[in-house]
């Protein structure tokens, strides 16, 4: 989800202190409670920080996943948000906010660690995890009340198995260990595949495409995470130790597999995310074929072609 930049306007701060409810951006029909600005409380955000956090969390796109709500020491309430309050196969942004129960103020300093998604395969009698950020990080320095993490689910919930999600939240040296709550992970719409895997040196790797629903016609900055399966499959799958280059070749299978120019391979950034450029010249279904190379330039995945003549590993997105 793209970060939003807000202008500092003194009039808005006045409205915050007046206690009026703000209408959420994006057309949400949910009622929005008035914003509460705690005074003389070192733990809680000031008026501007509260406004930025509140408007971000109530922007019409994010909703709370209520089954993941928990409290710390009966003094603080942790809420977990995602796009539409839902989760789906492939990459998901997840946001955390902590409020002080006594005054409903947003707490500045807290952490969320040990984020642990686990799938129980009921028919096979086994468990496995998925690629994920195991710890949250500050989403935006402008407002310290929101923490961010991500989860990329390798499969959806079904009759074959169910997902649970646990985490640990800490503030003021107080901690809650949220045991796994059952969560619903829906399948992607037909024609969309946002996570792919390959095997290299006996390790299973996973390529998670970040937020393809933000793509537009033309040149897009494309991001992905490369994770490796944990030796203990039921524990979260971390970012890969290996460094790769991921060449991308987009084609339109419904339009004779024509491609596009000016695409730039994904390379690893200091943050650990991979980034490149993707040119989508028109709307429709795109297969983003992937050729994965090691640091020496050797192809380690995607070297075999599928029936289209392009790499057999590809993400599929609909623009």
């Amino acid at each position: 989800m793209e970060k939003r930049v807000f202008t500092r306007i003194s009039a808005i701060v006045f409205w915050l202190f007046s206690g009026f409810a703000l209408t959420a951006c994006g057309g949400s029909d949910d009622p929005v409670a008035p914003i509460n600005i705690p005074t003389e409380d070192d733990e809680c955000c000031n008026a501007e920080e509260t406004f930025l956090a509140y408007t971000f969390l109530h922007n019409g796109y994010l909703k709370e996943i209520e089954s993941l709500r928990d409290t710390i020491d009966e003094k603080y309430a942790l809420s977990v948000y995602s796009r539409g309050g839902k989760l789906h196969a492939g990459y998901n942004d997840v946001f955390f906010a902590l409020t002080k129960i006594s005054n409903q103020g947003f707490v500045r300093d807290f952490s969320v660690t040990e984020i642990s998604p686990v799938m129980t395969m009921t028919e096979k009698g086994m468990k496995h995890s998925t690629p994920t950020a195991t710890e949250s990080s500050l989403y935006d320095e402008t407002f310290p009340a929101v923490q961010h993490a991500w989860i990329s689910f390798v499969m959806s919930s079904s009759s074959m198995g169910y997902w649970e999600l646990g985490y640990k939240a800490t503030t003021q040296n107080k901690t809650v260990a949220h045991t796994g709550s059952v969560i619903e992970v829906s399948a992607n719409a037909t024609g969309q595949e946002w996570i792919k895997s390959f095997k290299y040196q006996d390790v299973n790797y996973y390529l998670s495409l970040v937020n393809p629903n933000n793509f537009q016609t033309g040149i897009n900055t494309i991001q992905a995470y490369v994770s490796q399966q944990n030796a203990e499959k039921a524990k979260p799958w971390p970012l890969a130790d290996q460094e790769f280059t991921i060449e991308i070749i987009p084609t339109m299978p419904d339009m004779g597999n024509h491609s596009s120019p000016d695409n730039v391979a994904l390379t690893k950034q200091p943050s650990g995310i991979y980034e490149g450029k993707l040119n989508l010249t028109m709307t429709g279904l795109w297969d983003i074929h992937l050729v994965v190379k090691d640091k020496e330039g050797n192809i380690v995945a995607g070297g075999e072609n599928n029936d289209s003549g392009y790499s057999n590993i590809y993400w599929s997105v609909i623009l």
Side-chain angles (χ1 to χ4, degrees), residues 57-72:
L57 295 172
H58 295 85
N59 59 19
Y61 296 100
L62 295 180
K63 289 186 178 180
E64 184 182 359
I65 307 173
E66 294 184 3
S67 64
L68 296 177
R69 186 185 300 169
D70 213 327
T71 59
I72 302 176

Side-chain angles (χ1 to χ4, degrees), residues 5 35 49 79 94 142 206 221 251 272 276 294-295 299 306 311 314:
V5 179
I35 305 175
E49 294 167 344
S79 296
V94 182
T142 312
Y206 294 82
T221 296
T251 68
D294 63 16
K295 294 179 72 172
I299 295 176
N306 64 8
S311 165
Y314 56 91

Side-chain angles (χ1 to χ4, degrees), residues 45 56 76 85 148 154 169 177 188 196 267 280-281 303 310:
C45 293
F56 176 77
Y76 309 92
H148 169 260
V154 294
N188 279 335
K196 290 290 182 172
T267 55
L280 303 177
T281 54
Y310 294 95

Side-chain angles (χ1 to χ4, degrees), residues 82 86-94 148-153 185 211:
S82 68
K86 300 178 180 179
L87 300 165
H88 54 75
Y91 178 91
N92 297 259
D93 284 308
V94 182
H148 169 260
W150 61 270
I151 306 171
S152 186
F153 293 101
V185 177
N211 287 335

Side-chain angles (χ1 to χ4, degrees), residues 245-264:
T245 296
I246 307 168
E247 295 182 353
I248 52 177
I249 306 171
T251 68
M252 295 197 79
D254 297 335
M255 301 288 288
N257 281 312
H258 76 73
S259 188
S260 64
D262 303 323
N263 298 285
V264 178

